[in-house]
Amino acid sequence: MNPQYIELVKSTVPVLRENGVALTSYFYNRMLTNNPELKNTFNLDHQSTGRQPRALAAAVLAYAENIENPSVLAKAIEHISTKHVSLDIQPDQYSIVGENLLHSISEVLDVPMDSDLIAAWKEAYLQLAEILINSEKQKFDNLAAKQGGWSGWRSFDITAIESNENGKTFTIKATDGNDVVGADAGQYVSVKVKVPNHELQQPQQFKFADAQANNEFKFAVKAEENGTEFSVANILLENYNVGDTVQVTAPL
Ligand code: HEM
């Protein structure tokens, strides 16, 4: 990136940060209106709390601040790309996010889309997107190469549900009957369910309390007291039975 563009991007970070709420709410509203299929990718229960929208925009701003030295953000990149791979985020989705983010920056800063400022932000975003896409590709490849591993979503059947004092423990096995890679305690998978009364699916991560083996996974689900109708935990607890199918990504 040329020094003039770097300066332009860095000089607008404080204003964007100050207007963080406007930036993120404009961004998500615009994106989910123009690309409603992404409602199956983003957790709508998290959207309602505002936690996730802030995380994405904050990460872009943090990156822009350190644009001359992106290695500062190596830990964040590792964390974000792991989460993205667990949600099966694909390279082509970066252009959708990028376009909506640039329009939101243009709106919040009140500058035209064809200004130098937006051109500079576009370069910054593309640079960050490339770093994430490369990191994610490596992780997808590693998952697919493992014995019993896979990349993206795989269908699993619920084979047992046990109640406990905090909720229920679900046991699941791959619908295809083939091997399933093991997992360490503390690793997590994303589980995707159908939302009752909506043409929607929703993903959520569940962490394993114990190591997983024998071609099956066991994970505990606790009710979310303040969950909306999109709460994956509550949907699993209230609507899913033995024999039903969920979509699951490989443990990370
Ligand atoms: C440069 C671009 C991007 C940045 C900086 C970014 C950053 C982030 C951050 C910081 C998080 C929160 C991680 C956490 O929960 O700890 C996140 C989560 C997430 N990102 Fe991205 N992201 C980018 C692109 C994308 C794209 C292209 C998609 C797909 C459309 C996407 C989908 C998601 C989803 C679904 C989550 C989880 C949100 C939830 O809780 O539901 N992101 N991202």
Side-chain angles (χ1 to χ4, degrees), residues 28 31 38 41-44 46-47 51-52 55-56 59-60 79-80 83-84 87 89-90 93-95 97 125 128-129 132 203 205:
Y28 274 93
M31 184 166 74
L38 287 181
T41 301
F42 284 91
N43 185 307
L44 301 173
H46 294 175
Q47 301 302 306
R51 188 172 65 84
Q52 205 289 325
L56 202 161
V60 172
H79 172 79
I80 297 168
K83 182 94 180 230
H84 281 170
L87 286 158
I89 301 306
Q90 292 295 319
Q93 293 178 311
Y94 277 85
S95 52
V97 164
Y125 175 81
L128 177 55
L132 285 171
Q205 287 74 50

Short mmCIF file of all heavy atoms in Angstrom, two decimals, residues 28 31 38 41-44 46-47 51-52 55-56 59-60 79-80 83-84 87 89-90 93-95 97 125 128-129 132 203 205, ligand 1:
data_model
loop_
_atom_site.label_atom_id
_atom_site.label_comp_id
_atom_site.label_asym_id
_atom_site.label_seq_id
_atom_site.Cartn_x
_atom_site.Cartn_y
_atom_site.Cartn_z
N TYR A 28 -24.24 -4.25 9.32
CA TYR A 28 -25.00 -5.52 9.39
C TYR A 28 -26.37 -5.40 8.75
O TYR A 28 -26.81 -6.31 8.05
CB TYR A 28 -25.11 -6.02 10.83
CG TYR A 28 -23.90 -6.83 11.17
CD1 TYR A 28 -22.81 -6.25 11.78
CD2 TYR A 28 -23.81 -8.17 10.80
CE1 TYR A 28 -21.67 -6.97 12.04
CE2 TYR A 28 -22.68 -8.90 11.06
CZ TYR A 28 -21.61 -8.30 11.68
OH TYR A 28 -20.48 -9.02 11.93
N MET A 31 -25.87 -5.44 4.99
CA MET A 31 -25.42 -6.73 4.47
C MET A 31 -26.53 -7.79 4.56
O MET A 31 -26.77 -8.52 3.60
CB MET A 31 -24.19 -7.20 5.25
CG MET A 31 -23.59 -8.47 4.72
SD MET A 31 -21.95 -8.76 5.40
CE MET A 31 -22.35 -9.26 7.05
N LEU A 38 -27.00 -14.76 4.12
CA LEU A 38 -26.00 -14.74 5.19
C LEU A 38 -26.63 -14.86 6.59
O LEU A 38 -25.92 -15.04 7.57
CB LEU A 38 -25.14 -13.48 5.11
CG LEU A 38 -24.12 -13.45 3.98
CD1 LEU A 38 -23.32 -12.16 4.01
CD2 LEU A 38 -23.17 -14.64 4.06
N THR A 41 -25.56 -17.84 8.17
CA THR A 41 -24.15 -17.93 8.55
C THR A 41 -23.89 -17.21 9.85
O THR A 41 -23.18 -17.70 10.72
CB THR A 41 -23.27 -17.31 7.43
OG1 THR A 41 -23.51 -18.02 6.23
CG2 THR A 41 -21.80 -17.35 7.77
N PHE A 42 -24.47 -16.02 9.99
CA PHE A 42 -24.28 -15.24 11.22
C PHE A 42 -25.30 -15.68 12.26
O PHE A 42 -26.44 -15.99 11.92
CB PHE A 42 -24.43 -13.74 10.93
CG PHE A 42 -23.21 -13.19 10.24
CD1 PHE A 42 -23.13 -13.16 8.86
CD2 PHE A 42 -22.12 -12.76 10.97
CE1 PHE A 42 -22.00 -12.68 8.21
CE2 PHE A 42 -20.98 -12.28 10.34
CZ PHE A 42 -20.92 -12.23 8.96
N ASN A 43 -24.86 -15.73 13.49
CA ASN A 43 -25.75 -16.13 14.56
C ASN A 43 -26.64 -14.95 14.93
O ASN A 43 -26.18 -13.96 15.47
CB ASN A 43 -24.91 -16.59 15.76
CG ASN A 43 -25.77 -17.14 16.86
OD1 ASN A 43 -26.69 -16.47 17.30
ND2 ASN A 43 -25.49 -18.34 17.29
N LEU A 44 -27.94 -15.07 14.62
CA LEU A 44 -28.86 -13.93 14.80
C LEU A 44 -29.12 -13.64 16.27
O LEU A 44 -29.47 -12.52 16.64
CB LEU A 44 -30.17 -14.18 14.05
CG LEU A 44 -29.99 -14.40 12.54
CD1 LEU A 44 -31.31 -14.80 11.89
CD2 LEU A 44 -29.44 -13.16 11.85
N HIS A 46 -26.69 -13.73 18.47
CA HIS A 46 -25.56 -12.86 18.83
C HIS A 46 -25.74 -11.47 18.26
O HIS A 46 -25.33 -10.49 18.87
CB HIS A 46 -24.23 -13.42 18.28
CG HIS A 46 -23.83 -14.71 18.91
ND1 HIS A 46 -22.75 -15.43 18.51
CD2 HIS A 46 -24.40 -15.39 19.94
CE1 HIS A 46 -22.65 -16.51 19.26
NE2 HIS A 46 -23.64 -16.51 20.12
N GLN A 47 -26.35 -11.38 17.07
CA GLN A 47 -26.55 -10.06 16.46
C GLN A 47 -27.39 -9.18 17.37
O GLN A 47 -27.16 -7.99 17.51
CB GLN A 47 -27.30 -10.14 15.12
CG GLN A 47 -26.62 -10.98 14.07
CD GLN A 47 -25.23 -10.48 13.78
OE1 GLN A 47 -25.06 -9.32 13.48
NE2 GLN A 47 -24.25 -11.34 13.90
N ARG A 51 -22.90 -8.12 20.23
CA ARG A 51 -21.54 -8.56 20.54
C ARG A 51 -20.73 -8.82 19.28
O ARG A 51 -19.65 -8.30 19.09
CB ARG A 51 -21.61 -9.83 21.39
CG ARG A 51 -20.28 -10.29 21.94
CD ARG A 51 -20.49 -11.44 22.92
NE ARG A 51 -21.02 -12.63 22.24
CZ ARG A 51 -20.26 -13.52 21.62
NH1 ARG A 51 -18.97 -13.37 21.56
NH2 ARG A 51 -20.80 -14.57 21.04
N GLN A 52 -21.30 -9.63 18.37
CA GLN A 52 -20.54 -10.00 17.18
C GLN A 52 -20.31 -8.81 16.24
O GLN A 52 -19.19 -8.61 15.78
CB GLN A 52 -21.23 -11.15 16.44
CG GLN A 52 -20.26 -11.96 15.58
CD GLN A 52 -19.79 -11.20 14.38
OE1 GLN A 52 -20.55 -10.43 13.81
NE2 GLN A 52 -18.55 -11.38 13.98
N ALA A 55 -17.40 -7.00 17.24
CA ALA A 55 -16.15 -7.75 17.10
C ALA A 55 -15.57 -7.61 15.70
O ALA A 55 -14.39 -7.33 15.54
CB ALA A 55 -16.36 -9.22 17.45
N LEU A 56 -16.40 -7.77 14.68
CA LEU A 56 -15.88 -7.73 13.31
C LEU A 56 -15.34 -6.34 12.97
O LEU A 56 -14.21 -6.19 12.51
CB LEU A 56 -16.97 -8.15 12.31
CG LEU A 56 -16.49 -8.66 10.95
CD1 LEU A 56 -17.59 -9.46 10.27
CD2 LEU A 56 -15.99 -7.60 10.02
N ALA A 59 -12.20 -5.48 14.80
CA ALA A 59 -11.02 -6.17 14.26
C ALA A 59 -10.50 -5.44 13.02
O ALA A 59 -9.29 -5.32 12.83
CB ALA A 59 -11.36 -7.62 13.93
N VAL A 60 -11.40 -4.96 12.19
CA VAL A 60 -10.98 -4.24 10.98
C VAL A 60 -10.27 -2.94 11.39
O VAL A 60 -9.22 -2.59 10.84
CB VAL A 60 -12.18 -3.94 10.05
CG1 VAL A 60 -11.77 -3.04 8.91
CG2 VAL A 60 -12.76 -5.25 9.51
N HIS A 79 -6.97 -16.43 15.90
CA HIS A 79 -8.26 -16.63 16.58
C HIS A 79 -9.44 -16.48 15.60
O HIS A 79 -10.34 -17.32 15.56
CB HIS A 79 -8.37 -15.61 17.72
CG HIS A 79 -9.71 -15.58 18.37
ND1 HIS A 79 -10.10 -16.51 19.31
CD2 HIS A 79 -10.76 -14.75 18.20
CE1 HIS A 79 -11.34 -16.24 19.69
NE2 HIS A 79 -11.76 -15.17 19.04
N ILE A 80 -9.40 -15.42 14.81
CA ILE A 80 -10.52 -15.16 13.88
C ILE A 80 -10.59 -16.26 12.82
O ILE A 80 -11.67 -16.77 12.51
CB ILE A 80 -10.36 -13.78 13.18
CG1 ILE A 80 -10.42 -12.65 14.21
CG2 ILE A 80 -11.45 -13.58 12.14
CD1 ILE A 80 -9.98 -11.29 13.66
N LYS A 83 -12.10 -19.43 14.11
CA LYS A 83 -13.56 -19.30 14.25
C LYS A 83 -14.24 -19.36 12.87
O LYS A 83 -15.25 -20.02 12.68
CB LYS A 83 -13.86 -17.96 14.92
CG LYS A 83 -15.31 -17.67 15.18
CD LYS A 83 -15.70 -18.09 16.57
CE LYS A 83 -17.15 -17.82 16.85
NZ LYS A 83 -17.41 -17.12 18.07
N HIS A 84 -13.66 -18.66 11.90
CA HIS A 84 -14.23 -18.67 10.55
C HIS A 84 -14.26 -20.07 9.95
O HIS A 84 -15.25 -20.47 9.32
CB HIS A 84 -13.41 -17.75 9.63
CG HIS A 84 -13.71 -16.30 9.79
ND1 HIS A 84 -12.96 -15.31 9.22
CD2 HIS A 84 -14.71 -15.65 10.45
CE1 HIS A 84 -13.46 -14.13 9.51
NE2 HIS A 84 -14.52 -14.30 10.27
N LEU A 87 -16.92 -22.13 11.10
CA LEU A 87 -18.23 -21.72 10.55
C LEU A 87 -18.27 -21.90 9.03
O LEU A 87 -19.21 -21.45 8.38
CB LEU A 87 -18.50 -20.27 10.93
CG LEU A 87 -18.87 -20.08 12.40
CD1 LEU A 87 -18.62 -18.66 12.85
CD2 LEU A 87 -20.32 -20.48 12.63
N ILE A 89 -16.62 -20.41 6.67
CA ILE A 89 -16.59 -19.17 5.89
C ILE A 89 -15.73 -19.39 4.64
O ILE A 89 -14.64 -19.94 4.73
CB ILE A 89 -16.00 -18.01 6.75
CG1 ILE A 89 -16.84 -17.81 8.01
CG2 ILE A 89 -15.90 -16.72 5.94
CD1 ILE A 89 -18.31 -17.60 7.82
N GLN A 90 -16.24 -18.95 3.48
CA GLN A 90 -15.57 -19.20 2.20
C GLN A 90 -14.99 -17.92 1.60
O GLN A 90 -15.53 -16.83 1.83
CB GLN A 90 -16.59 -19.81 1.23
CG GLN A 90 -17.05 -21.21 1.62
CD GLN A 90 -15.91 -22.23 1.58
OE1 GLN A 90 -15.10 -22.22 0.66
NE2 GLN A 90 -15.85 -23.08 2.59
N GLN A 93 -17.07 -15.05 0.15
CA GLN A 93 -17.90 -14.23 1.05
C GLN A 93 -17.17 -12.96 1.49
O GLN A 93 -17.81 -12.01 1.95
CB GLN A 93 -18.31 -15.06 2.27
CG GLN A 93 -19.26 -16.19 1.89
CD GLN A 93 -19.63 -17.05 3.07
OE1 GLN A 93 -18.79 -17.50 3.83
NE2 GLN A 93 -20.92 -17.31 3.24
N TYR A 94 -15.84 -12.93 1.30
CA TYR A 94 -15.09 -11.74 1.70
C TYR A 94 -15.45 -10.52 0.86
O TYR A 94 -15.40 -9.39 1.34
CB TYR A 94 -13.57 -12.01 1.65
CG TYR A 94 -13.09 -12.68 2.91
CD1 TYR A 94 -13.18 -14.07 3.04
CD2 TYR A 94 -12.61 -11.94 3.97
CE1 TYR A 94 -12.78 -14.70 4.21
CE2 TYR A 94 -12.21 -12.55 5.14
CZ TYR A 94 -12.29 -13.93 5.26
OH TYR A 94 -11.90 -14.54 6.43
N SER A 95 -15.80 -10.75 -0.42
CA SER A 95 -16.14 -9.58 -1.23
C SER A 95 -17.48 -8.99 -0.80
O SER A 95 -17.69 -7.78 -0.85
CB SER A 95 -16.12 -9.92 -2.73
OG SER A 95 -16.91 -11.05 -2.94
N VAL A 97 -18.73 -9.05 2.36
CA VAL A 97 -18.46 -8.30 3.59
C VAL A 97 -17.73 -7.00 3.26
O VAL A 97 -18.06 -5.93 3.75
CB VAL A 97 -17.63 -9.17 4.58
CG1 VAL A 97 -17.01 -8.32 5.69
CG2 VAL A 97 -18.51 -10.25 5.18
N TYR A 125 -8.66 -3.32 3.37
CA TYR A 125 -9.55 -4.47 3.61
C TYR A 125 -9.07 -5.69 2.83
O TYR A 125 -9.01 -6.81 3.36
CB TYR A 125 -11.00 -4.13 3.23
CG TYR A 125 -11.89 -5.35 3.35
CD1 TYR A 125 -12.40 -5.74 4.59
CD2 TYR A 125 -12.18 -6.15 2.24
CE1 TYR A 125 -13.18 -6.88 4.72
CE2 TYR A 125 -12.94 -7.29 2.36
CZ TYR A 125 -13.45 -7.66 3.60
OH TYR A 125 -14.20 -8.80 3.72
N LEU A 128 -6.15 -7.38 4.46
CA LEU A 128 -6.55 -8.18 5.62
C LEU A 128 -7.29 -9.44 5.17
O LEU A 128 -7.06 -10.54 5.69
CB LEU A 128 -7.43 -7.34 6.55
CG LEU A 128 -8.01 -8.04 7.78
CD1 LEU A 128 -6.92 -8.68 8.63
CD2 LEU A 128 -8.81 -7.06 8.63
N ALA A 129 -8.18 -9.29 4.19
CA ALA A 129 -8.95 -10.44 3.70
C ALA A 129 -7.99 -11.51 3.16
O ALA A 129 -8.18 -12.70 3.42
CB ALA A 129 -9.92 -9.99 2.61
N LEU A 132 -6.43 -13.47 5.99
CA LEU A 132 -7.38 -14.39 6.61
C LEU A 132 -7.69 -15.57 5.68
O LEU A 132 -7.71 -16.73 6.12
CB LEU A 132 -8.68 -13.66 6.97
CG LEU A 132 -8.60 -12.74 8.20
CD1 LEU A 132 -9.86 -11.90 8.34
CD2 LEU A 132 -8.37 -13.55 9.48
N PRO A 203 -25.97 -21.52 13.27
CA PRO A 203 -24.82 -22.22 13.83
C PRO A 203 -24.47 -21.71 15.23
O PRO A 203 -24.74 -20.57 15.57
CB PRO A 203 -23.71 -21.85 12.86
CG PRO A 203 -24.05 -20.45 12.44
CD PRO A 203 -25.55 -20.29 12.54
N GLN A 205 -21.20 -22.62 18.42
CA GLN A 205 -20.08 -23.48 18.81
C GLN A 205 -20.38 -24.15 20.15
O GLN A 205 -20.97 -23.52 21.03
CB GLN A 205 -18.78 -22.66 18.96
CG GLN A 205 -18.18 -22.21 17.65
CD GLN A 205 -18.96 -21.08 17.02
OE1 GLN A 205 -19.25 -20.09 17.67
NE2 GLN A 205 -19.33 -21.24 15.76
C1 HEM B 1 -11.51 -8.89 6.91
C2 HEM B 1 -12.66 -9.44 7.15
C3 HEM B 1 -13.13 -9.99 8.46
C4 HEM B 1 -12.76 -9.71 9.75
C5 HEM B 1 -11.70 -8.73 10.22
C6 HEM B 1 -13.56 -10.54 10.62
C7 HEM B 1 -13.48 -10.54 12.01
C8 HEM B 1 -14.22 -11.33 12.85
C9 HEM B 1 -14.14 -11.33 14.29
C10 HEM B 1 -13.20 -10.47 15.12
C11 HEM B 1 -15.02 -12.24 14.75
C12 HEM B 1 -15.31 -12.59 16.21
C13 HEM B 1 -14.53 -13.80 16.63
C14 HEM B 1 -15.03 -14.33 17.95
O1 HEM B 1 -16.20 -14.63 18.09
O2 HEM B 1 -14.22 -14.44 18.86
C15 HEM B 1 -15.67 -12.82 13.60
C16 HEM B 1 -16.64 -13.78 13.68
C17 HEM B 1 -17.41 -14.15 12.61
N1 HEM B 1 -17.20 -13.84 11.29
FE1 HEM B 1 -15.74 -12.65 10.57
N2 HEM B 1 -14.41 -11.30 9.86
C18 HEM B 1 -14.18 -10.99 8.54
C19 HEM B 1 -14.81 -11.55 7.45
C20 HEM B 1 -15.88 -12.40 7.52
C21 HEM B 1 -16.59 -12.95 6.40
C22 HEM B 1 -16.25 -12.71 4.93
C23 HEM B 1 -17.62 -13.70 6.88
C24 HEM B 1 -18.67 -14.45 6.11
C25 HEM B 1 -19.68 -13.89 5.54
C26 HEM B 1 -17.52 -13.66 8.32
C27 HEM B 1 -18.36 -14.31 9.19
C28 HEM B 1 -18.20 -14.38 10.55
C29 HEM B 1 -19.11 -15.12 11.43
C30 HEM B 1 -20.34 -15.87 10.98
C31 HEM B 1 -18.61 -14.97 12.72
C32 HEM B 1 -19.21 -15.52 14.00
C33 HEM B 1 -20.19 -14.56 14.48
C34 HEM B 1 -21.19 -15.12 15.41
O3 HEM B 1 -20.93 -15.14 16.61
O4 HEM B 1 -22.23 -15.50 14.92
N3 HEM B 1 -16.46 -12.87 8.67
N4 HEM B 1 -15.16 -12.26 12.46
#
